[in-house]
Amino acid sequence: MSEPAVVLVSGGLDSATVLAIANHEGYACHALSFDYGQRHGVELDAARRVADSLGAVAHRVVNVDLAAFGGSALTDFTHAVPESPTQGIPITYVPARNTVFLALALAFAETLAARHLFIGVNAVDYSGYPDCRPAFIRAFEALARLGTKMGVQGGRIEVHTPLIDLTKAEIIRRGIELGVDFAATVSCYQPDTMGRACGRCDSCRIRRDGFAAADVLDPTRYRAT
Amino acid sequence: MSEPAVVLVSGGLDSATVLAIANHEGYACHALSFDYGQRHGVELDAARRVADSLGAVAHRVVNVDLAAFGGSALTDFTHAVPESPTQGIPITYVPARNTVFLALALAFAETLAARHLFIGVNAVDYSGYPDCRPAFIRAFEALARLGTKMGVQGGRIEVHTPLIDLTKAEIIRRGIELGVDFAATVSCYQPDTMGRACGRCDSCRIRRDGFAAADVLDPTRYRAT
């Protein structure tokens, strides 16, 4: 029987590739997405398509009200999404987002007796987010082993980050090898209600450059500007 | 100006005492409670009374759907709350609960530029929960410093656990010194809709024994059995 894993699936390009990798490695993948008050609800539709098409055994969407805290252009609509590159940590950073998401993934994993978590963080194209770094991931594993029943009972909880050292182009090539349909994914920070990308935000820019560098036709649906 | 702190307030006896301590130490206390699908919604009413009466500058209730995962008698109503002492980690353990709660407190703290979190964990009467131990708290601080913008920018994030080495009787005496009205708090795992305690669950037993050991009149409202 396959070992169970919890895979964080956002509806974007990276997490779709992570799900394909986890599935390819033989895990029984429980996809987990969050409704956290994000600007772009269309990403949850994309997450559902990704989980369905890439063979997740189940897909759970959990509500967590990060928008209640404000402080990010992705949840607080009074901030505009920047359309030119910024230095340092951008306003699209959601406070402690990966800490919250991994904590919830851990809670879900514990109810499944799953020791494996997968997250699509990436230290190369990480856009300046502190919670995408390897040291952060190792610190979370240490926490998880101390703070859970399965950790205390000797289960060696592992956070898998198969994309952490890949460039966007490498992620795209790996996804295509594993049959990911990137047209089903949404990366844009401000897509329209049909899921079409703006082509101008940081996330669109990184994605478009990735397809160009991978020498792969960009299947992204851009809206007319 | 007072330094801001985020104080986790559940509506129970311990977190009420923590709020009184943080307030006494001069922090501007932002109380934070969670609606996580718990059996006992009356605890949120108690949290509001506690935050109001103990001088919190604000009180936020955030929705996080831990019940979606199941696996605990406190959120999954198909499990009965045990009424006799159990060995090891009890069924009332909510998977990774303090990891999730501290992660959300950290997200809130970051939007407030608050470096201080307060949580009422207790290693003496901790009922076998792994996420109440000092090693877990230190691991969370390490994670918080790595995974946040304020941590990366040099803010030394601290998780204060003023109750960690106190017995229940000591917590009660400290709370009374600081003016906590324990009649406003609810500890029972299965109170009735008026907030009256069962007197039989683990949490009721620990609380009642605490008042007895502190030689303080127990103000808990018990329901007729």
Side-chain angles (χ1 to χ4, degrees):
Chain A
M1 213 182 85
S2 312
E3 238 194 301
V6 173
V7 182
L8 292 174
V9 172
S10 70
L13 181 159
D14 292 348
S15 65
T17 303
V18 169
L19 177 57
I21 291 170
N23 199 44
H24 181 71
E25 291 180 358
Y27 291 96
C29 296
H30 296 256
L32 180 61
S33 304
F34 300 107
D35 184 348
Y36 64 99
Q38 59 270 63
R39 216 179 247 275
H40 38 328
V42 295
E43 85 173 19
L44 286 176
D45 297 330
R48 285 185 198 97
R49 287 195 300 270
V50 164
D52 276 357
S53 65
L54 292 171
V57 297
H59 182 219
R60 195 80 57 112
V61 178
V62 168
N63 182 69
V64 54
D65 190 17
L66 287 184
F69 300 137
S72 167
L74 294 194
T75 56
D76 181 346
F77 298 179
T78 63
H79 292 295
V81 170
E83 295 188 348
S84 53
T86 46
Q87 289 295 307
I89 296 169
I91 185 69
T92 48
Y93 169 71
V94 176
R97 182 170 62 177
N98 285 344
T99 306
V100 172
F101 288 179
L102 282 173
L104 288 165
L106 181 66
F108 187 33
E110 191 155 32
T111 65
L112 298 169
R115 293 189 304 108
H116 299 276
L117 311 181
F118 281 80
I119 183 169
V121 295
N122 181 257
V124 178
D125 285 329
Y126 79 112
S127 285
Y129 298 131
D131 53 359
C132 293
R133 297 175 300 159
F136 168 78
I137 297 297
R138 297 292 85 77
F140 189 86
E141 287 179 331
L143 182 79
R145 290 168 191 167
L146 285 165
T148 57
K149 194 166 163 174
M150 66 181 170
V152 167
Q153 291 170 348
R156 192 172 165 77
I157 298 160
E158 288 180 43
V159 179
H160 300 257
T161 58
L163 312 186
I164 202 151
D165 292 323
L166 303 187
T167 64
K168 197 60 109 186
E170 289 169 333
I171 293 168
I172 289 168
R173 281 195 291 258
R174 186 80 183 110
I176 286 172
E177 280 168 19
L178 295 172
V180 177
D181 173 14
F182 286 121
T185 66
V186 173
S187 301
C188 179
Y189 286 146
Q190 49 186 2
D192 66 12
T193 54
M194 300 179 64
R196 291 176 306 192
C198 75
R200 293 187 305 271
C201 68
D202 264 10
S203 189
C204 275
R205 232 191 327 273
I206 291 171
R207 176 179 170 121
R208 191 169 43 205
D209 292 350
F211 280 106
D215 205 15
V216 166
L217 189 71
D218 180 355
T220 308
R221 295 176 304 133
Y222 294 102
R223 61 177 182 263
T225 48
Chain B
M1 214 182 86
S2 310
E3 240 196 300
V6 172
V7 182
L8 292 174
V9 173
S10 70
L13 180 159
D14 292 347
S15 65
T17 304
V18 170
L19 177 58
I21 291 171
N23 198 46
H24 181 71
E25 291 180 358
Y27 291 96
C29 297
H30 296 257
L32 180 61
S33 304
F34 301 107
D35 183 349
Y36 63 99
Q38 58 270 63
R39 216 179 249 272
H40 37 329
V42 295
E43 86 173 17
L44 286 175
D45 296 330
R48 284 185 199 96
R49 286 194 300 270
V50 164
D52 277 357
S53 65
L54 291 172
V57 296
H59 182 218
R60 194 80 58 111
V61 178
V62 168
N63 183 68
V64 54
D65 189 17
L66 287 184
F69 300 138
S72 167
L74 292 195
T75 58
D76 180 347
F77 297 179
T78 62
H79 293 294
V81 170
E83 296 188 349
S84 53
T86 47
Q87 288 296 306
I89 297 169
I91 184 70
T92 49
Y93 169 72
V94 176
R97 182 169 64 177
N98 284 346
T99 306
V100 171
F101 288 179
L102 282 172
L104 288 164
L106 181 66
F108 187 33
E110 191 154 31
T111 66
L112 299 168
R115 294 188 304 107
H116 299 276
L117 311 181
F118 281 80
I119 183 169
V121 295
N122 179 257
V124 177
D125 284 328
Y126 78 113
S127 284
Y129 298 132
D131 52 0
C132 292
R133 297 175 300 160
F136 168 78
I137 297 297
R138 297 291 84 78
F140 189 85
E141 286 180 332
L143 182 79
R145 290 168 190 168
L146 285 165
T148 57
K149 194 165 161 174
M150 65 181 170
V152 167
Q153 292 170 349
R156 194 173 163 79
I157 298 159
E158 288 180 42
V159 179
H160 300 255
T161 57
L163 311 186
I164 202 150
D165 292 322
L166 303 187
T167 63
K168 196 60 108 186
E170 289 168 335
I171 294 167
I172 290 169
R173 281 195 292 257
R174 186 80 184 109
I176 285 171
E177 279 168 20
L178 295 172
V180 176
D181 172 15
F182 287 122
T185 65
V186 172
S187 301
C188 179
Y189 285 147
Q190 49 186 3
D192 66 13
T193 53
M194 300 180 64
R196 292 177 304 193
C198 75
R200 293 187 305 270
C201 68
D202 264 9
S203 189
C204 275
R205 231 190 328 271
I206 292 171
R207 177 180 170 120
R208 190 169 44 204
D209 292 351
F211 280 106
D215 205 14
V216 166
L217 188 71
D218 181 355
T220 307
R221 296 176 303 133
Y222 294 102
R223 61 177 180 262
T225 47

